[in-house]
Structures are given as structure tokens and as C-alpha cells.
Amino acid sequence: MSGPAISVVICVYTEDRWEDILAAVASVRAQSHPARETLLVVDHNAALLERLAKEYKEPQQSGEVRVLANAGPRGLSAGRNTGIAAAHGEVVAFLDDDAVAERDWLRHFAAGYADPRVLAVGGRTVPIWASGRRPAWFPEEFDWVVGCTYRGLPPGRVRVRNVLGGNASFRRSAFDSAGGFATGIGRDGDKRPLGCEETELCIRLTRARPEAILLIDDRAVIHHRVPEAREHFRYFRTRAYAEGLSKALVARSVGTDKGLESERRYATRVLPAGVARGLRDAVLARPGGAGRAGAIVAGVLTAAGGYVVGSVRARRGTTTFSVAGIGGGIEGEADG
């Protein structure tokens, strides 16, 4: 096997996704660039931990699949940090528990690390809509709402500020330099779907290692399941608001210049073009045109509202998040 050894971390928290978890693991075990190991990190769910340990008893004995309990506080960031600390690979990749990777996913990740300056490689995430098709009103510019690659990201293998967490990989040395994912900023089970933890980590990484290169390669594809509940405008609005809250935390930690660098281009170029396309489609009587234009405007206003509220909370010091050094200790703490 040429290229770096890659450990794959899949964080899981609920038995409701049992079949999805099995499919995710199967997709990793079928990679053309074999994974060094697959680490299933269970987020404070003893029943799921026991069930997965039984399901993968033989692969655990060989080391191909390892089932671990989240060693930190409840939430996705601590689960990822647990996986990083336990991983043996030179590169650690992350796959969502409700996604499946295409066969060459890890091969494209591995190719990106031929340049020793590359410390992170992300990929493209394609939605699988529960209803079988994209809702007519749902704009591609907001596919990040459902954890997928959105219109406006550059195509090909390109340099970026940050990768997207559900389809990403990092050199193990990146965490030695910058610490792990910040707890208190990311997702926590079924609570309000905050995010941006990978954005904060990537900015922190490039500050610690200014020579670092972070890439997205759109050939590294995963397919991400979007449940029916997330196809509705209510979820769209909730997630947009949560994104604003999270961006305020990130900006408080790393400064608005870096924290909102990519968002400025997105808001001033990508979204106005999306509104124009939607209005054009409405004039041409194409389905969903007016709805997409309206959803973009609503999404921007809702995210902006979340950012304002998050900024006020940050100034008052009512929310905080911590950055853990991989291996357990707290490396730093930020108000946000």
C-alpha cells in the first residue's frame, strides 16, 4: 500500500442509526486504499457500545475495527479527540455515522499528502434525500445546513481555509501542533445543532503552522443521508441560526478577519448569484425558483441574527469552549 497509513474515526451516539453505522463501516472496509483501522467512538451510550462490540468482535481481535467509549464530555468534538488519541495511523480521517464513502475516498486523501506541507485534506459530500429528491425550495448554496458540500466551493483539488468535518482528514502531527477539536462549540447529540468546530481547528492549525496547506479534493466523495425531518424549512432556519451562534464563537476565538474570511465572499458573491438564479427560474415558471430565492434571504437573515446573539453572549462571557491537547490535558481555554 503506497501513501500514508490512514485511521478512520466514526463517531456514533444512537442505536437509531444502526443500519447507517454498519453501512459506514462497510464502506471503509471496502476502500481501494485500505484503512489502517476503523475506530468507532461511542458517545456515552452503554447499550450501543456493547452492541457494536459484539457486532465487530472478530474485526476487533484483528485490529481492523476498534470500538471505543468517548473518553471526554458528551459531544462530537470530544468523541473525535478520543479517536485521534487512540489512532495508530499517520493520517486520521473522519466519516459521519450516516454516510458512506466511495471506494476511492481514502486513495484521494492519501494522494493529497504527497506534499509534506499538506496537513489536512477534505472531500465532497453529496446529499441522499430521504424523500428521494431535493426539495424544490432548498438552495444548493445552503447544503451545508444538512452537512453537505454547497454551491460556491471551488471545484477540483484546491487550497482552502478549512475542511468540512464529516468528510475530512488530518496528519496526526497537526493535532500535536494545534491540539484537538474544541469542546463546547460542536454538536452534542440531539441538542441545538451547533457546528464550526472544524473551522476553528483549521484556523488554529494554520496559526500554529503558517506553512501548512489545507486542501479539498472533490474526488474524495461520500454520500450523506439527509433524514426527512431535515428537509423542512423549520430545520433549515434552526440550523442557520445555530451557524450564526457558532460563527460568533469562532470569531471571538480567532478574530473576525480569519473567522469570517470565507463567509464574506460567500455572502457577497455566492448568495446574491443564488438569489438571481432563483428569481430567474421564477420568471421562467420553473419549480421552486421563488422558494429558493426566499430561502437564501431567510437563511442569511437568520444566521445574522444568530451571530448577533452569539456575539452578545461572547462579550458577556456566558459561553465558553475549551481546546484539549490530544492525550487528555487541557491545552487552552477560550471565552466565546
Side-chain angles (χ1 to χ4, degrees), residues 3-237:
I6 304 178
S7 299
V8 178
V9 174
I10 303 174
C11 294
V12 303
Y13 72 97
T14 176
E15 290 183 86
D16 293 343
R17 292 185 176 180
W18 179 256
E19 295 300 330
D20 291 335
I21 294 168
L22 299 187
V25 174
S27 74
V28 175
R29 298 177 76 183
Q31 289 294 301
S32 59
H33 179 100
R36 166 69 174 78
E37 60 195 344
T38 301
L39 303 171
L40 283 169
V41 183
V42 183
D43 193 15
H44 299 270
N45 185 329
L48 179 58
L49 181 71
E50 181 180 0
R51 189 177 179 187
L52 285 170
K54 290 180 180 178
E55 178 71 24
Y56 293 108
K57 182 178 180 180
E58 291 185 10
Q60 280 205 97
Q61 292 172 346
S62 68
E64 182 185 3
V65 178
R66 296 162 62 198
V67 180
L68 310 170
N70 179 2
R74 186 181 300 275
L76 180 58
S77 290
R80 286 173 173 168
N81 291 341
T82 297
I84 296 163
H88 295 124
E90 177 188 346
V91 170
V92 182
F94 299 94
L95 179 66
D96 278 345
D97 63 346
D98 53 357
V100 292
E102 292 192 358
R103 178 172 169 76
D104 291 330
W105 177 59
L106 291 183
R107 182 172 70 83
H108 291 302
F109 276 176
Y113 291 103
D115 184 337
R117 297 173 299 169
V118 173
L119 294 186
V121 182
R124 176 162 56 96
T125 302
V126 179
I128 304 174
W129 302 95
S131 62
R133 59 186 300 178
R134 171 186 297 275
W137 63 269
F138 203 113
E140 293 182 24
E141 291 82 1
F142 273 77
D143 276 6
W144 54 263
V145 164
V146 291
C148 295
T149 301
Y150 56 90
R151 182 193 287 267
L153 288 176
R157 184 196 286 175
V158 294
R159 192 167 181 169
V160 293
R161 180 195 66 180
N162 64 275
V163 295
L164 305 179
N167 179 10
S169 63
F170 295 83
R171 285 195 196 272
R172 182 62 177 74
S173 60
F175 303 109
D176 297 333
S177 298
F181 288 92
T183 59
I185 189 174
R187 288 177 178 264
D188 178 359
D190 294 317
K191 294 182 180 180
R192 183 184 296 280
L194 299 179
C196 297
E197 62 272 28
E198 64 275 0
T199 301
E200 191 276 336
L201 170 61
C202 288
I203 295 172
R204 184 166 16 101
L205 173 59
T206 52
R207 283 185 168 181
R209 300 277 296 274
E211 78 285 2
I213 294 174
L214 284 61
L215 302 174
I216 284 183
D217 188 336
D218 66 4
R219 298 171 300 172
V221 179
I222 69 169
H223 298 266
H224 177 73
R225 187 179 299 280
V226 180
E228 191 272 339
R230 297 185 181 182
E231 294 188 7
H232 299 288
F233 185 71
R234 180 178 180 181
Y235 180 83
F236 177 92
R237 184 177 56 192

Side-chain angles (χ1 to χ4, degrees), residues 252 309-319 335-336:
R252 177 73 171 180
V309 171
S311 297
V312 171
R313 291 178 180 174
R315 286 195 296 270
R316 291 176 177 173
T318 56
T319 55
D335 291 328

